[in-house]
Amino acid sequence: MKEGYIMITRKTRRIERIVLVEPRAPGYHIYSAFTVPRLGLPLMARILRGRGYTVDVFVQERAAVPMSALREADLVGVSATTSTAGEAYKIASFARGMGKPVVMGGPHVTFVPEEALCYCDIVVRGEGDETFPELVDALRDGADLNAIKGLSFYDNTGMVRTEDRPLVCDLDTLPPPDLNTIHFGKRMPIIPVQTSRGCPFHCTFCSVTEMFGHRYRTRSVENVLDELERYNGRRVFFVDDNFTAAPKRTFELLTRMKERGIRLKSWSAQTRVDIAKQPELMELMRETNCTRVYIGFESVNPKTLERFNKRQDVDDVRFAIETLHKHRVRVHGMFMLGADDDTPETIRETLRFANRMRIDTVQFLALTPLPGTKTAHELEMAGRIFTHDWRLYDGHHVVYKPMNMTPEQLQRGILWGMLQFYSWRQALKFAVRLDSLNAALRILGSGLVRKAARASGDFNTWLHSHQDQISDWARARGFKFDASQASERLVEYRRRIKDSALEKYETMRLKISTAYELKTRAAFVSLEGDIDRRRARLIKRRIKKLARSKSTVVLDFAQVQDITPEAGDYLARKLGRFKRSVRIKLIGATAEFRDKLLGAAKHVPAFEFFDSVDSLQRNLLMPTRI
C-alpha cells in the first residue's frame, strides 16, 4: 500500500458529533458578493440528525472553520468541486492530522478518488444521500464497508472501489435540507431550493450529466410547495441545473404556488434559451416574481455552439434575451470562450453582442476541462492541458493551449471583456436610462473584476513569460526552478549566552535563500541557522513581500537549528493571518513548532505542513490525469 494512505479497518468508533465543510472558492468572481450555499451538506445534516447525530455545517465563504470544531468532531466530511479541491484537501489533511476520520464527497473527488485518498480516508462517489449516512452508521458499528455501494478507500489489499450506487429515483424520499445547521455568519439573504436533478442535454464541457445523469428527476409539485411555504416573503434561488427542462411541470409548479398563496419576494433560476418559446410560462414567471434567470449562452460562434453540442443557435440566444426583457425578467448570460473554433475576434464579437443585446449581467469564462467531461478527456489525450492546479479550474484562468490563440491572448482577452462590460461608462449608460439596479451591478462588478485581476496577477505574468514552455513542464516530473531569480541573504547577529555567568555573546547566523518554481509559480524560502524574534519579523516581511506576486510560498525549516520561544510565538500569530489568496506550505517544521503554530490558530489557517519534498510535490503538482 502506498505511503501516506490510511487503511480502513473494521472496528467500532465513537461517532456522535459530525462536522461538514463546504470549502471556499480560491479567488474572486462575479458571485463573490452573493453567497448561496450548496445543498448537499445541509441535506446530509438533516438525514444524520434524524439518526441521532449532532451535525454542524460550515460554509467557508461566510464562516471560518474553527479549530475547536475539528477537535471536538468525531467525523469530518468535506465536499469538493474542482476549483475548491485544493482548499478541501487542506482541511481534510488538517483534520486527519488531528486523528479524525475524514470523508470526502462531491463532483471532483467522484472522478478522481485516488487523488483524494491522499488526503482523506474514504471517498463517497456520486450522490451521497444514501451512501454517506449508511457509511457513518457502518463506521460507528464497525461494519464491513465493502457492502456499501459508492465508496472508494484503502484496505490491506490496496485501493477498494465498491459498486456504483444507482441514482436516487424518487426525490420525494429525501427530506428538505436543514439550512439551520449552516454556520453562515448572518441571515441568509437568498434561500437555495432544489426541485430536480440531472439534465436531458449533454454539453461536452459540463460534468452535470456525468454526476447526476441524463434522466431529469423531479420532486413532486406538492413536495416542493411544502418547502416553499417556509420561505414566504423571502428571496429564493432554484439551484436546479435546468429549472425549465420540463416546461409543463414548471408551469404546474408556478400555478399551484399562486393558488396556495405562496408569494416569494423574488425568485431566480438557471434555465436554457428554450424558455422563450413558452410564452404562457414566461408570463407566469413574471407574475410569481421571477426577477432574473441565468442562462448558459456559451458562444456567439455557430461552430462553437455545434462543437459544444448545445442544440441552439445564435438566433435562439437573441430571441431569448429579447423575449425575457419584454416580460421584465433580467438576464445573466454566461459565455464559454476558447473553443477550437474561437479566435481573438470571437472575444470582441461576444462583448459587442452582450452590449448590443443589453444583457443585464454576464460572465466571460475560459473553457475549463473539468474531470469527467468529454472536453477534459480530449484535451488531455492531445497533451494540451498544462496544469492540474485545481485552484485555476474556476473558469477565470486558462489551463490548456487553445487552438487559434495563445493561452495569454485568451486570458487577457477574457479579462479585457469583463472590464469593458463592467465599466463606469456602461454604468453611466444605464443610469441615464434610469435603470439604477443595472447601473449599480456594473459598478459592483467592476470592483469584483478588478479584485480578481489583482489576485491572478502572478498567473497572468507567468503566462506572458513562459507560455512557450508550459506544455513541456507539464509532462516533466518534479519541480523546475528559475536559476536566474535565485537569491540569498545572510544575516549575522549577536546573542547573549544564557547559561554563562559572565556577559558573553555568540555570533548567530540566519541564511534566507529564495528560489522561484516555474511549474507551480511558488516561491521557495529556505531557512538555515537560528531564528530569534527580530529575525522572525524579517521572515514575516519577506513572506508578505512575496505574497504580493506569488500565490504560494513554501517555507523550508529543515536546516533551522534553533527557534527562540519568542520567535515561535510571533510566527505562530502571523502565519495564520495572511489573506485567503495566499497558500503557505511548511516543510521540516519540528513537532514542537507545529504544535505552537496550530495552538495559536483559532480557525483552519492559511498554512499546512508537509513531511517531505515528495509529499509537497504531490500536493502542488497534482499529477492526476483526467
Side-chain angles (χ1 to χ4, degrees):
M1 191 171 67
K2 295 182 181 180
E3 180 184 357
Y5 291 97
I6 297 295
M7 184 179 71
I8 299 301
T9 57
R10 292 181 62 178
K11 64 177 182 179
T12 59
R13 290 175 170 83
R14 175 184 174 274
I15 297 181
E16 296 177 359
R17 181 175 292 275
I18 300 171
V19 168
L20 304 177
V21 182
E22 179 186 326
R24 65 187 172 209
Y28 301 96
H29 48 81
I30 199 65
Y31 291 131
S32 293
F34 310 100
T35 301
V36 178
R38 296 163 61 221
L39 290 176
L41 297 186
L43 175 56
M44 297 296 174
R46 171 79 70 179
I47 296 172
L48 291 169
R49 281 190 166 189
R51 299 189 180 200
Y53 298 101
T54 300
V55 186
D56 291 289
V57 178
F58 292 92
V59 177
Q60 234 187 349
E61 287 284 0
R62 287 298 181 186
V65 183
M67 293 293 285
S68 59
L70 294 184
R71 293 189 186 100
E72 295 170 3
D74 301 312
L75 177 70
V76 176
V78 186
S79 178
T81 62
T82 298
S83 66
T84 65
E87 183 69 16
Y89 291 156
K90 185 185 77 174
I91 296 169
S93 296
F94 264 110
R96 198 165 71 166
M98 299 166 73
K100 309 297 180 181
V102 179
V103 180
M104 295 191 72
H108 182 76
V109 300
T110 291
F111 299 117
V112 289
E114 185 172 1
E115 173 192 279
L117 287 171
C118 295
Y119 307 95
C120 69
D121 304 317
I122 305 171
V123 168
V124 172
R125 305 189 317 274
E127 294 180 340
D129 314 290
E130 297 172 346
T131 306
F132 187 58
E134 189 177 337
L135 168 64
V136 174
D137 288 345
L139 290 174
R140 179 196 60 194
D141 301 335
D144 183 11
L145 301 188
N146 288 278
I148 302 175
K149 296 179 180 179
L151 295 182
S152 292
F153 57 90
Y154 275 88
D155 65 9
N156 54 9
T157 65
M159 182 176 172
V160 176
R161 180 187 175 97
T162 66
E163 180 184 347
D164 290 343
R165 184 179 291 273
L167 300 173
V168 178
C169 294
D170 184 2
L171 297 184
D172 283 358
T173 61
L174 302 176
D178 189 351
L179 300 182
N180 292 323
T181 60
I182 301 177
H183 293 256
F184 200 74
K186 61 179 181 179
R187 189 172 188 259
M188 201 176 297
I190 302 173
I191 305 296
V193 174
Q194 185 176 53
T195 78
S196 67
R197 290 182 184 175
C199 180
F201 300 92
H202 194 190
C203 301
T204 57
F205 56 82
C206 183
S207 62
V208 168
T209 52
E210 302 300 329
M211 180 74 179
F212 298 106
H214 284 286
R215 182 187 167 199
Y216 188 64
R217 296 166 289 144
T218 63
R219 295 166 60 188
S220 67
V221 169
E222 292 302 317
N223 185 277
V224 175
L225 294 176
D226 289 342
E227 181 179 359
L228 287 176
E229 275 189 327
R230 307 174 190 174
Y231 308 130
N232 220 337
R234 300 286 300 275
R235 291 185 174 90
V236 166
F237 174 56
F238 292 106
V239 299
D240 308 39
D241 292 297
N242 187 351
F243 182 62
T244 59
K248 291 183 179 179
R249 182 253 184 187
T250 307
F251 188 88
E252 181 187 359
L253 173 62
L254 298 180
T255 301
R256 292 284 295 117
M257 192 168 77
K258 281 183 62 178
E259 293 173 353
R260 283 181 58 164
I262 300 173
R263 186 72 175 175
L264 302 177
K265 186 172 184 178
S266 68
W267 66 267
S268 56
Q270 299 179 101
T271 183
R272 280 176 54 95
V273 296
D274 317 69
I275 192 175
K277 300 175 182 178
Q278 305 288 333
E280 292 182 354
L281 177 57
M282 297 275 291
E283 191 64 36
L284 187 57
M285 288 170 60
R286 183 59 249 179
E287 290 176 9
T288 54
N289 283 351
C290 175
T291 56
R292 186 178 299 270
V293 292
Y294 300 79
I295 304 180
F297 297 132
E298 314 312 354
S299 183
V300 297
N301 184 340
K303 292 183 179 179
T304 296
L305 290 174
E306 184 177 350
R307 183 180 293 275
F308 284 166
N309 194 32
K310 279 297 293 184
R311 289 153 66 176
Q312 68 185 37
D313 57 34
V314 179
D315 288 337
D316 293 330
V317 174
R318 189 178 293 108
F319 179 69
I321 298 168
E322 292 172 346
T323 305
L324 285 161
H325 281 166
K326 285 179 183 177
H327 287 82
R328 304 191 310 281
V329 176
R330 299 182 186 274
V331 178
H332 177 83
M334 293 167 280
F335 294 89
M336 195 78 69
L337 299 164
D340 286 354
D341 296 298
D342 288 350
T343 66
E345 178 58 28
T346 306
I347 302 174
R348 293 187 286 271
E349 177 55 34
T350 303
L351 175 64
R352 287 193 291 267
F353 179 87
N355 285 328
R356 186 168 60 247
M357 296 303 300
R358 295 184 182 177
I359 303 178
D360 301 279
T361 53
V362 301
Q363 279 179 290
F364 298 145
L365 303 168
L367 178 64
T368 303
L370 298 174
T373 64
K374 181 180 178 181
T375 294
H377 177 73
E378 290 176 347
L379 292 176
E380 189 70 68
M381 294 301 293
R384 292 168 60 187
I385 297 176
F386 55 74
T387 178
H388 291 96
D389 182 349
W390 302 128
R391 294 176 306 151
L392 303 177
Y393 281 60
D394 58 357
H396 301 289
H397 299 85
V398 180
V399 298
Y400 71 101
K401 295 184 71 173
M403 186 69 73
N404 296 315
M405 56 187 124
T406 66
E408 184 192 10
Q409 283 179 308
L410 179 56
Q411 179 74 22
R412 294 193 180 279
I414 290 172
L415 178 59
W416 169 82
M418 290 290 283
L419 288 172
Q420 291 295 312
F421 187 87
Y422 292 102
S423 66
W424 283 84
R425 180 182 179 183
Q426 292 296 326
L428 182 60
K429 288 182 179 180
F430 279 101
V432 170
R433 300 188 197 113
L434 302 181
D435 188 345
S436 58
L437 178 59
N438 266 335
L441 287 173
R442 287 295 196 281
I443 295 171
L444 175 63
S446 175
L448 289 173
V449 172
R450 292 179 188 281
K451 198 171 187 178
R454 288 193 296 270
S456 62
D458 74 307
F459 179 76
N460 298 337
T461 302
W462 178 72
L463 274 184
H464 175 73
S465 303
H466 306 294
Q467 61 182 326
D468 293 336
Q469 303 109 306
I470 49 182
S471 293
D472 294 333
W473 295 344
R475 288 188 287 269
R477 296 176 61 86
F479 290 132
K480 182 178 179 63
F481 290 94
D482 185 352
S484 65
Q485 295 193 52
S487 64
E488 287 187 359
R489 179 178 178 182
L490 180 62
V491 180
E492 293 188 353
Y493 60 99
R494 298 177 68 204
R495 186 172 69 181
R496 183 175 178 177
I497 301 175
K498 292 182 180 180
D499 298 330
S500 175
L502 301 175
E503 192 170 325
K504 292 186 177 181
Y505 293 85
E506 58 183 337
T507 300
M508 313 302 294
R509 291 179 176 83
L510 174 65
K511 185 166 73 172
I512 304 175
S513 304
T514 305
Y516 298 100
E517 206 283 319
L518 292 169
K519 294 167 69 174
T520 61
R521 312 179 320 283
F524 279 64
V525 180
S526 298
L527 306 172
E528 181 180 348
D530 304 275
I531 304 174
D532 64 355
R533 179 182 169 84
R534 191 170 180 180
R535 262 40 65 176
R537 292 177 63 186
L538 179 65
I539 294 169
K540 181 255 183 181
R541 288 197 298 269
R542 182 61 178 153
I543 298 172
K544 189 174 182 179
K545 182 178 180 180
L546 290 169
R548 294 172 187 163
S549 60
K550 300 294 179 183
S551 60
T552 302
V553 178
V554 178
L555 289 178
D556 187 352
F557 286 86
Q559 298 184 68
V560 172
Q561 298 172 8
D562 180 52
I563 302 178
T564 65
E566 296 81 6
D569 292 339
Y570 178 84
L571 288 174
R573 291 196 310 272
K574 298 299 181 181
L575 288 180
R577 296 180 182 176
F578 281 91
K579 58 185 180 179
R580 67 187 247 178
S581 58
V582 179
R583 298 189 300 174
I584 299 177
K585 317 283 187 179
L586 292 92
I587 308 177
T590 63
E592 181 182 359
F593 187 45
R594 288 189 183 199
D595 291 341
K596 184 168 291 189
L597 288 171
L598 292 176
K602 294 182 179 179
H603 305 100
V604 174
F607 56 79
E608 52 188 321
F609 303 107
F610 295 89
D611 295 323
S612 65
V613 174
D614 288 341
S615 61
L616 178 66
Q617 283 185 352
R618 185 169 62 231
N619 177 268
L620 286 177
L621 297 177
M622 294 292 184
T624 299
R625 291 297 175 262
I626 50 183

